[in-house]
Every structure is written in C-alpha cells, then in structure tokens.
Amino acid sequence: MDKKFIFVTGGVLSGLGKGIAAAAIGALLESKGLKVTIQKLDPYLNIDPGTLSPFEHGEVYVTDDGCETDLDLGHYERFTHVRTCIDNNYTTGRIYNNVITKERRGDYLGNTVQVVPHITDEIKEAVKSAAKQEYDAIIVEIGGTVGDIESLPFLEAIRRFRYDVGRENVLYIHLTLVPFIKVAGELKSKPTQHSVKELREIGIQPDILLCRSEMPLSQEVKRKIAMHCNLDEYSVIAAVDVDTVYEVPIWFRSEGLDKQIEKKLNLQLPEANLVVWEDVVRRIKMPKEVANIAIVGKYIGLKDAYKSLIEALIHGGIANDAKINILWVDSEEIEKKGPENMLFEVDGILIPGGFGNRGIEGKIMSARYAREKKIPYFGICLGMQIAVIEFSRNVCALSANSEEFDPDAKDKVIYLMEQWYNHRTGNIEKRTKVSQIGGTMRLGAYPCILKEGSKAHEAYGVTELSERHRHRYEFNNHYRDILISKGMSITGLSPDGELVEIIEIKDHPWFLGCQFHPEFKSKPINPHPLFKAFISASIRERRSLFK
Ligand code: GLN
C-alpha cells in the first residue's frame, strides 16, 4: 500500500482545536489497524518553540530525543501510539535555516534561491522526513489559519505534494467554524464558504470539511455547505463541542469521517474499534470519587502553559475513577496570605516545573505545609527542587537555596552541575553557564533506576524506567548524606548514580519529587503511574469537607 498523506488546515479563526482534530483522526485510523504518525508545521520564525514563553504560546512539549516542540505534539502522543521526535515538528524558521545553510554551502549551484521552489521543496522534504519510517498514513497539521501571510509557503507546498505522490494518496481536510447566531436562531455557513473560497484560490480544494459548531448540523445545513464548497454532503462532518476531548474520535466515527477518509484514499479497512476510548469517556463522565488538587504556580492565566500536566491529572483521575478539581493557586498569593489560608481544603498539592525566582518562597511554604500537614505532595522538576530546598532549610537547618534563585547562597542544594553523562547519546554533556538556551539544558529521555520498596517503585512496578527532562539545575550530591540522615530518601538515580532523579520523604502518606516531567508520557488509555499513585493517595487521605 502507498503511504497516505492527510493534510489538516484551519480556517475562519484560530483556536478551533486543529491539534485535537488531527490527533483524533490519528486515533480513529489506528483503531482501524493503520500505523500512523502526525506532524505539525508551524508558520513562525523561531527555529523551535524552546524560547517561546509558555504563558503566551502554551507549554513546550519535550520529546524523547530531546526536542522542544509545540504542545500539539502532546495531543498526538496522548491520542495515538506515535512517539514524536525531531521530524514531527518543523517551523518556518527551521525550514529557512536549512535553506540558508544549503545556500551558504553552495548547494544551489549559482541559482537564485526563492520561496518557490526552494522553500516549498524544503517543506516537502520535511513532510517526507516524518514519513520515512514504516507508516501507512502521515497526518500533517498546518499551524495558523488559511489567509495568513505566514502559512502561504506551507499551503503551496502541500498543494504541489499531491502531484508528487499521486492524487489518491493525498487528502485535504479543512477545519472551520459554523457559528450559531442566537438572534437569528440559525447556524451560519458563510464563514466556512469564505474560508474554503480562500483555500481554493490558492489551488486547494478540500476533500472533507470538519465544521466546529455548538450543535449537530442538520442534513440541510450540510447540504448547503456542501453545495457552496464543491463537495458532497457526506464530506461535511460536524465537529460539535463535546464534554471531553477524548470523545472526539467517537464523535468523528459517528459522523462517518473514517468511512469518508477510507473512500477518498481508496482504502479498505476494518471497522473502527474504539472500545478503549469508550471506556476512557465513561470513566471521565461517571466518576465515583473526587480529588481536589492544588497546582501552585506563577502566573496561572494561560492554562495551555500546563497542558500536559492538566491532562496527566485527568488521566490519574481516570485510573482512580475520580473527577479531578484543579485549584489554581498563585504562589505569590501564598506568600501574602499563608498556605494555611489557601490550601486548607485540598487533597493534594502539586508544584509543577518552572523557571525564574518569582513566587519561589510561596512554593517553598506550600511544600512545607504539605510535608508537615501530611498532605500528598507531588513536585515535578522545579517542584522537586523546591521540596529539597524546603527540607534542607526547615529540617536540616541549612541556609539552602538553588543556584538559580541565589547564586551566593551558602548551601546551594540545587546547583549547576558542570558535566554529566548522557546515556542516550553516550556523550559527556557540558553545561555552559553563559547561554540561556539550547546546550545548557538537560533535555529528553534519561534512564532512572528505582530503589526497591520506595513509593516510586510501588507506583511503577519496575525498577528501571525512562523519563523526559527539561532543566538546567540538579540536586547537589554534596548534601546527599545530611538530607538522607534527616529522613529524605533518594529513590531514583541515573544508572551511574550521579544524578538524583526522585526524592521521597519518609513518614508521610505520599511525598515525592521527580527531576523529570512525567506528564509528557501520560495517556488516557495508559495513565502515568506517578499521577495514578498521587491521585490515589490524595483520595485516600482526603481532608476536604466531602469526605
Ligand atoms: N528552573 C529549574 C531548572 O532549570 C527547573 C526547570 C523545570 O522545572 N523544568 O533546573
């Protein structure tokens, strides 16, 4: 079978959930036995999103091979079996960088280097790079909205793509909006018509329309859209608002999307089997328990900054048949009001990853409160470092801080380790203190060995694991003995024993900090063991009024 390419574009406005749509199409096709991968093409000039503020652009999603990528790759991994890597996310910046590097090297043999064909050819190569493995279908999500200047070269490249690989191997799916206008009591198809018109102007006739709307589309509305957009009515799929995103594959199937894809790509596939997704949705919609979890962070305005974390908590809930109520707590508020006034009713406290010293003291106060009041505590990356600082100060009487927050602190229990061994690459990595980007971070998957009998071991059920990292600072081994002598356990280490990966506190129902980001690997159909254990402990220790 030839490889099939499915391009997903977006129209009318941004934020319609193109990433979820692409991921859900992936889930649907996997359920019919296809081996799929999903790629995101982003029309901005940053080479990768690593330098973008998560509070503007959403979280930076980290892959096993250490790439800092767009958060949509998180959706792809959560919905499918795809293991994303460097090939799954390209930006305009990276495409131009490749072309300019080739130009300097003299690869273009004196030709004038132009957007068409050189940039567009580079984009096509990028799509093919994601397809080089044994996949049956490659879903490519084009970032931005049709009509933006920025996304034009991507659209031109995917238009040509059909001629390169054959008509029957390429499908264009366009996501639009069909708003309901209350005063008229009507669903309006005009924005969709305009968006499709714009796409056709650049030579792309969409094969399928996914129409976001508040309510199901009647056959009559579908027919009208189909007529204006040069399609048949079965190619107009309603993408209605659902209670949980994990319901989207099920909804798409009920709208016949899989059948349309099959027909248009000339495929004969078995019926979609979505039993696992039905189970996930049932558990989310009919919980038997509740867990109230505080996330203590800084500027908690844009929830997308913590996308994988929120999802991983929901997955922890799925594993425990529990609904998760997230209480967003600004750590600067804790500094002002005290943790006892802000966290008194929560069942679990989570401190997520973060950078910079704003709100740090509030986080340290929260970790102390969790430790002393025996509330389940889960510290992720910065959250582990906070727990170490807190314990060093309040239990070991050290003048402790992280080198990140106070380079002159007497006891830098968290510090910049100058070099470390990278088990993935076999290289000694060196940390340069000057640069704030790139090489100085420990990025991507690293192995970790667990101590038998620990809470971590109990959760994972194995002694060896691999998790993803994104940080500069590390646990300072100079302080290991004193912390252990006062009741902290080091329960996860790198195979050479040099890098502290997990800490726990004894005589506490569940207090765990990990230097890695477990949230990146959690899936609804396979909730992450640490989130599962944290939620389970939070339910068991519940202190809230609803006990
Ligand atoms: N700022 C800390 C470090 O760089 C923690 C990073 C994080 O939480 N991702 O080590």
Side-chain angles (χ1 to χ4, degrees):
M1 179 183 119
D2 287 337
K3 282 189 197 314
K4 305 292 181 183
F5 294 84
I6 300 173
F7 294 102
V8 181
T9 54
V12 186
L13 41 90
S14 62
L16 293 181
K18 219 175 335 124
I20 298 282
I25 293 170
L28 195 51
L29 295 181
E30 274 193 350
S31 83
K32 293 169 84 77
L34 289 189
K35 195 161 181 328
V36 303
T37 187
I38 316 182
Q39 182 186 51
K40 173 93 191 267
L41 301 179
D42 271 316
Y44 50 76
L45 282 167
N46 306 61
I47 302 256
D48 67 40
T51 53
L52 292 175
S53 161
F55 301 101
E56 260 170 44
H57 192 84
E59 117 190 319
V60 173
Y61 185 78
V62 181
T63 58
D64 269 345
D65 61 348
C67 287
E68 298 175 289
T69 70
D70 187 81
L71 60 75
D72 278 323
L73 274 75
H75 298 311
Y76 308 161
E77 288 207 12
R78 286 187 283 274
F79 276 83
T80 67
H81 293 87
V82 173
R83 254 308 150 83
T84 56
C85 68
I86 188 159
D87 298 330
N88 294 76
N89 192 192
Y90 278 84
T91 66
T92 296
R94 190 164 152 211
I95 298 284
Y96 270 77
N97 199 35
N98 290 355
V99 170
I100 291 168
T101 307
K102 286 185 187 168
E103 187 274 332
R104 289 292 84 186
R105 224 169 35 209
D107 289 9
Y108 297 112
L109 306 171
N111 283 328
T112 310
V113 182
Q114 291 173 297
V115 174
V116 181
H118 300 97
I119 292 295
T120 48
D121 278 352
E122 195 66 30
I123 294 169
K124 288 195 282 180
E125 285 312 310
V127 173
K128 287 177 192 154
S129 77
K132 64 182 181 252
Q133 290 174 30
E134 287 303 299
Y135 295 113
D136 303 314
I138 295 91
I139 299 163
V140 183
E141 177 193 349
I142 314 290
T145 309
V146 168
D148 296 346
I149 296 173
E150 283 89 349
S151 52
L152 271 178
F154 287 121
L155 298 174
E156 170 58 14
I158 66 168
R159 180 187 72 78
R160 282 295 311 167
F161 207 88
R162 193 172 233 179
Y163 295 90
D164 292 2
V165 301
R167 279 199 83 75
E168 69 290 357
N169 296 326
V170 172
L171 193 70
Y172 301 110
I173 298 185
H174 189 54
L175 178 72
T176 71
L177 177 73
V178 179
F180 179 73
I181 305 300
K182 273 204 199 90
V183 280
E186 249 186 310
L187 285 163
K188 291 292 185 188
S189 65
K190 199 61 124 204
T192 297
Q193 292 177 38
H194 276 289
S195 177
V196 170
K197 185 164 161 254
E198 207 147 2
L199 205 50
R200 288 169 60 188
E201 262 166 29
I202 44 181
I204 298 174
Q205 163 66 49
D207 299 297
I208 293 174
L209 290 180
L210 298 180
C211 302
R212 280 301 306 271
S213 77
E214 284 172 49
M215 59 186 74
L217 305 184
S218 66
Q219 218 52 34
E220 192 193 328
V221 173
K222 287 187 178 181
R223 228 171 279 138
K224 183 172 171 202
I225 294 173
M227 186 183 71
H228 286 290
C229 299
N230 209 13
L231 289 165
D232 64 58
E233 63 195 78
Y234 304 104
S235 307
V236 180
I237 306 287
V240 298
D241 299 343
V242 278
D243 296 335
T244 150
V245 290
Y246 300 124
E247 206 171 341
V248 178
I250 301 169
W251 176 267
F252 279 172
R253 179 184 57 183
S254 71
E255 281 282 299
L257 176 61
D258 54 330
K259 296 276 188 262
Q260 286 303 314
I261 294 177
E262 225 174 309
K263 190 170 134 208
K264 295 192 155 104
L265 286 174
N266 205 5
L267 293 166
Q268 276 89 41
L269 301 173
E271 288 294 315
N273 180 350
L274 296 174
V275 190
V276 284
W277 294 103
E278 282 155 3
D279 185 49
V280 162
V281 171
R282 188 182 46 76
R283 283 167 185 264
I284 292 178
K285 287 191 174 177
M286 289 187 281
K288 300 192 179 96
E289 296 279 356
V290 186
N292 300 304
I293 305 295
I295 296 182
V296 182
K298 67 169 178 182
Y299 349 81
I300 35 188
L302 183 66
K303 301 289 181 284
D304 268 358
Y306 297 107
K307 190 73 208 162
S308 293
L309 183 71
I310 298 170
E311 293 305 312
L313 282 169
I314 293 172
H315 306 162
I318 292 172
N320 288 283
D321 281 312
K323 174 174 165 38
I324 309 295
N325 290 325
I326 296 179
L327 184 71
W328 295 93
V329 184
D330 183 341
S331 51
E332 287 183 313
E333 289 285 299
I334 300 241
E335 285 167 21
K336 288 184 215 133
K337 296 184 184 151
E340 63 286 1
N341 294 317
M342 294 192 73
L343 300 172
F344 63 95
E345 239 187 25
V346 302
D347 305 320
I349 296 175
L350 190 151
I351 301 196
F355 293 85
N357 48 13
R358 196 161 152 190
I360 286 299
E361 292 304 319
K363 293 182 188 175
I364 295 175
M365 291 157 87
S366 308
R368 178 178 195 168
Y369 185 72
R371 181 176 56 78
E372 292 181 346
K373 299 283 180 226
K374 304 227 184 287
I375 304 166
Y377 175 90
F378 193 7
I380 293 177
C381 204
L382 176 66
M384 176 194 109
Q385 301 176 350
I386 292 288
V388 170
I389 299 168
E390 187 282 314
F391 193 82
S392 306
R393 282 187 191 175
N394 302 321
V395 180
C396 307
L398 296 169
S399 302
N401 213 332
S402 163
E403 192 170 353
E404 179 177 11
F405 315 130
D406 180 6
D408 302 320
K410 184 161 156 287
D411 297 300
K412 291 191 268 271
V413 290
I414 303 294
Y415 80 134
L416 275 179
M417 194 178 260
E418 269 162 28
Q419 58 182 46
W420 74 98
Y421 179 65
N422 185 336
H423 288 258
R424 191 175 64 249
T425 59
N427 296 332
I428 301 281
E429 306 276 357
K430 296 232 190 279
R431 217 164 230 142
T432 50
K433 298 201 182 192
V434 208
S435 163
Q436 283 299 299
I437 53 171
T440 57
M441 288 239 215
R442 181 145 78 98
L443 277 169
Y446 278 80
C448 167
I449 311 291
L450 297 180
K451 191 166 154 192
E452 299 213 12
S454 60
K455 293 258 165 42
H457 180 221
E458 193 182 303
Y460 279 96
V462 292
T463 50
E464 268 189 68
L465 51 104
S466 166
E467 293 281 6
R468 299 180 194 167
H469 291 250
R470 183 174 186 254
H471 57 100
R472 291 191 186 85
Y473 297 83
E474 306 281 350
F475 183 101
N476 186 342
N477 289 327
H478 178 72
Y479 293 93
R480 249 193 226 189
D481 290 345
I482 167 154
L483 268 68
I484 291 173
S485 72
K486 296 284 187 188
M488 181 171 273
S489 314
I490 291 173
T491 60
L493 282 169
S494 57
D496 62 5
E498 286 299 307
L499 300 165
V500 170
E501 303 285 28
I502 305 179
I503 60 107
E504 292 177 29
I505 285 174
K506 286 189 201 132
D507 304 323
H508 190 287
W510 208 87
F511 192 110
L512 186 146
C514 54
Q515 191 54 81
F516 48 80
H517 288 273
E519 69 273 27
F520 292 142
K521 285 179 74 170
S522 187
K523 290 168 188 258
I525 53 174
N526 194 6
H528 192 284
L530 291 181
F531 282 91
K532 180 177 170 188
F534 170 59
I535 298 301
S536 159
S538 303
I539 295 169
R540 207 172 49 234
E541 301 297 319
R542 178 153 49 230
R543 310 160 338 119
S544 65
L545 299 175
F546 308 103
K547 188 160 188 164

